[in-house]
Amino acid sequence: MKVLVTGGCGFIGSALIRHIIRHSTAQVVNVDKLTYAATPEALEDCSSNGRYVHEQADIADEAAMERVFAIHKPDGVIHLAAESHVDRSIDGPGIFVTTNVLGTYTVLNRSLAHWKGLSGDAGRHFRFHHVSTDEVYGSLSETDPAFSEQTPYSPRSPYSASKAASDHLVQAWHETYGLPMVMTNCSNNYGLWQFPEKLIPVIILNAVQGKELPVYGAGDNIRDWLHVEDHAVALWQVFRQGRNGEKYNIGGNAERRNIDVVHTICDILDEIGATPGSGSCRDQIKFVTDRPGHDHRYAIDSGKIRRELHWTPSYTFERGLEETVAWYLHNQKWWQDIHARKYDGKRLGASV
């Protein structure tokens, strides 16, 4: 099998590719533009493997996508490439529309044309797996039931609106043109190699540098946390075993308030003495003005993927967070180089 993965140098994409290379015999074609958030270092173990190749290309470039499909002739596509930072989408929504909507449209069209040219088993086994987010469903109160696959869409940020649009395009290409597809919507990911503008790495890195720990509002926003390695396992299972035309929600069964996540990170760092101050790093917490339209709670009902594909997360949040903290402490050169070379320093916020 040869699978084309878009956005494979991103946080989730690189975890997926590592999983495929380590746990299958499939070949992987990684299509990644290498934007500011790309981490090709996360794929160093795969780069020398003959089953892996990277194509640097923009998914919104129709000619580039036509060339990639013509050369590699994939047996399936897993589409992860997306702009995904909510704060950045508020400041500059245009690139989110271009990448997440136009880019998805372009990859869909290329996939459809490629699939139509296949015959026999190749055509019957081809599928397009679209990877999306729980943010398309909107915001929950603390007593609302968790998001299911039937929850109506209600995006509240330019980012989530662009992802909702891409979801609808994929569904339409399936219904109108018959393109074989599956879709997944996941909760907040965390783990190794996450770009340092998301909540968990921001808190870890600011804490060890003695900086303020920015927390939006009162820190009472709630998220369901999913370890990226568990997500990679789920994505590969859905791609291979999910039912054609179906959607699967993927969650970590680990709802936490943002302030509780920050407190837990501080407690881990305090216990191992990894912060420069003499007191608790909780003293570094600073509550900052909330962002516009900040969703209060996300929660995922993963019952469908558990029942149909027998997937469950293997990480508890406590174990996963301890390993994540340890990884960032032992890989300081990676994130220090990002701060020095690739990062403008203006987005190191409390995003989640």
Side-chain angles (χ1 to χ4, degrees):
M1 178 190 293
K2 181 185 288 187
V3 58
L4 189 153
V5 176
T6 69
C9 289
F11 172 47
I12 300 172
S14 61
L16 173 64
I17 290 175
R18 292 194 303 271
H19 178 77
I20 295 173
I21 293 297
R22 291 170 182 170
H23 300 285
S24 80
T25 59
Q27 302 175 61
V28 179
V29 180
N30 173 15
V31 178
D32 196 295
K33 185 181 178 181
L34 297 182
T35 66
Y36 77 96
T39 55
E41 303 95 330
L43 291 170
E44 285 181 354
D45 291 346
C46 302
S47 60
S48 60
N49 192 298
R51 293 187 287 117
Y52 171 79
V53 62
H54 172 224
E55 289 279 1
Q56 185 172 351
D58 184 346
I59 61 167
D61 184 335
E62 188 170 353
M65 290 301 97
E66 185 175 3
R67 178 186 63 82
V68 168
F69 274 83
I71 291 173
H72 295 287
K73 300 177 175 58
D75 299 304
V77 174
I78 306 179
H79 177 46
L80 296 103
E83 294 286 341
S84 64
H85 194 274
V86 175
D87 285 357
R88 288 180 180 267
S89 80
I90 294 171
D91 291 345
I95 186 62
F96 286 74
V97 174
T98 298
T99 300
N100 299 352
V101 182
L102 180 59
T104 298
Y105 163 79
T106 303
V107 177
L108 272 172
N109 265 354
R110 283 296 97 211
S111 298
L112 179 63
H114 173 69
W115 171 64
K116 285 184 173 180
L118 299 175
S119 59
D121 287 344
R124 285 189 291 273
H125 295 155
F126 181 88
R127 65 173 29 181
F128 185 99
H129 180 173
H130 179 61
V131 181
S132 190
T133 172
D134 59 0
E135 297 191 40
V136 299
Y137 298 126
S139 182
L140 296 172
S141 74
E142 295 193 21
T143 58
D144 285 332
F147 299 133
S148 73
E149 288 80 4
Q150 287 74 44
T151 300
Y153 278 31
S154 182
R156 289 159 44 92
S157 72
Y159 161 61
S160 58
S162 67
K163 287 299 291 183
S166 69
D167 290 10
H168 292 320
L169 286 175
V170 174
Q171 188 66 45
W173 259 239
H174 172 69
E175 299 291 345
T176 304
Y177 305 112
L179 180 68
M181 73 84 178
V182 287
M183 187 183 304
T184 50
N185 295 73
C186 70
S187 58
N188 278 64
N189 279 223
Y190 73 101
L192 319 186
W193 297 107
Q194 187 170 32
F195 194 75
E197 67 180 359
K198 302 287 188 171
L199 176 69
I200 288 176
V202 164
I203 298 303
I204 297 169
L205 306 189
N206 279 23
V208 299
Q209 296 175 92
K211 297 180 180 179
E212 291 179 342
L213 310 182
V215 178
Y216 278 136
D220 58 359
N221 301 81
I222 299 169
R223 300 294 182 261
D224 176 16
W225 292 96
L226 171 66
H227 196 283
V228 70
E229 302 294 339
D230 280 334
H231 191 193
V233 172
L235 292 176
W236 190 232
Q237 281 190 239
V238 171
F239 177 72
R240 292 179 301 119
Q241 301 170 8
R243 288 186 291 128
N244 183 34
E246 292 293 319
K247 172 192 283 198
Y248 296 87
N249 282 353
I250 307 171
N253 194 30
E255 285 188 58
R256 299 289 190 281
R257 295 188 307 159
N258 286 352
I259 190 62
D260 294 331
V261 173
V262 175
H263 285 164
T264 303
I265 294 171
C266 285
D267 293 346
I268 294 170
L269 292 170
D270 288 345
E271 184 176 352
I272 61 179
T275 54
S278 57
S280 170
C281 81
R282 291 191 183 203
D283 299 334
Q284 298 167 227
I285 295 172
K286 180 181 180 181
F287 295 98
V288 299
T289 302
D290 210 351
R291 70 176 176 221
H294 196 177
D295 293 339
H296 177 66
R297 172 177 169 247
Y298 303 144
I300 283 282
D301 177 352
S302 298
K304 182 175 180 177
I305 190 173
R306 292 172 188 244
R307 290 189 306 271
E308 294 192 8
L309 304 183
H310 309 292
W311 173 89
T312 57
S314 64
Y315 279 86
T316 64
F317 184 64
E318 290 71 25
R319 172 197 162 199
L321 196 57
E322 287 179 0
E323 290 186 7
T324 300
V325 169
W327 186 88
Y328 278 96
L329 294 180
H330 287 102
N331 288 272
Q332 294 192 29
K333 185 179 186 304
W334 173 70
W335 55 263
Q336 287 172 348
D337 285 350
I338 290 174
H339 284 181
R341 296 184 291 105
K342 298 172 63 177
Y343 198 65
D344 60 20
K346 297 177 182 178
R347 263 300 148 216
L348 202 55
S351 174
V352 66

